Amino acid sequence: MKNLLNPNIEFTDPDTLQFCLPLSDKEFWYCEPNCCHDELLPESDSTERIIYDMLCGYPEDLIRLSSVVSEVKEFISNGRLWCSGDISIDDIDEEERLELMQAYGYSRDSLGSDAEWNQLICESYFETYCITDFS
């Protein structure tokens, strides 16, 4: 989870605390809280759930507070609480790419560079398979 503290981290979906770290123009590391973990279930009264509820939507604050609040540091350091993994555009076949883009309503014309397009496809893949493949 050290990638969360990388200065190049991107906040791709602040409302779910989803992060992306571009590793190259074709490979990206994604993570977001594993909301299926017992400590993060909506009915949980755990410290982790309280942190999630307070900071969901505020990824900059999550990162900033992790250096001064031990409970927040533990939250972002606990890999069991996060779904994360590297995704390469080369590992997603053309048919899957098209399915993802249709499901998310994107078209190739909507973004300019190949890197932006690759990141969007990889993000869609991560969101689709987050719980099954990355937890």
Side-chain angles (χ1 to χ4, degrees), residues 40-94:
L40 295 178
L41 292 174
E43 63 273 7
S44 175
D45 61 354
S46 69
T47 300
E48 293 83 1
R49 182 64 199 200
I50 292 167
I51 291 168
Y52 177 79
D53 286 342
M54 287 176 48
L55 295 174
C56 204
Y58 303 97
E60 294 99 341
D61 291 341
L62 176 73
I63 301 302
R64 182 181 53 78
L65 289 172
S66 72
S67 66
V68 294
V69 178
S70 62
E71 292 84 358
V72 177
K73 181 178 183 174
E74 289 173 26
F75 176 78
I76 70 163
S77 299
N78 187 341
R80 294 177 297 128
L81 298 175
W82 296 84
C83 299
S84 67
D86 294 352
I87 304 171
S88 172
I89 192 68
D90 293 333
D91 294 336
I92 306 170
D93 65 40
E94 191 62 34

Side-chain angles (χ1 to χ4, degrees), residues 97-110:
R97 292 178 197 182
L98 291 172
E99 288 175 14
L100 289 167
M101 293 302 93
Q102 288 174 347
Y104 279 80
Y106 298 124
S107 70
R108 181 61 178 104
D109 300 331
S110 62

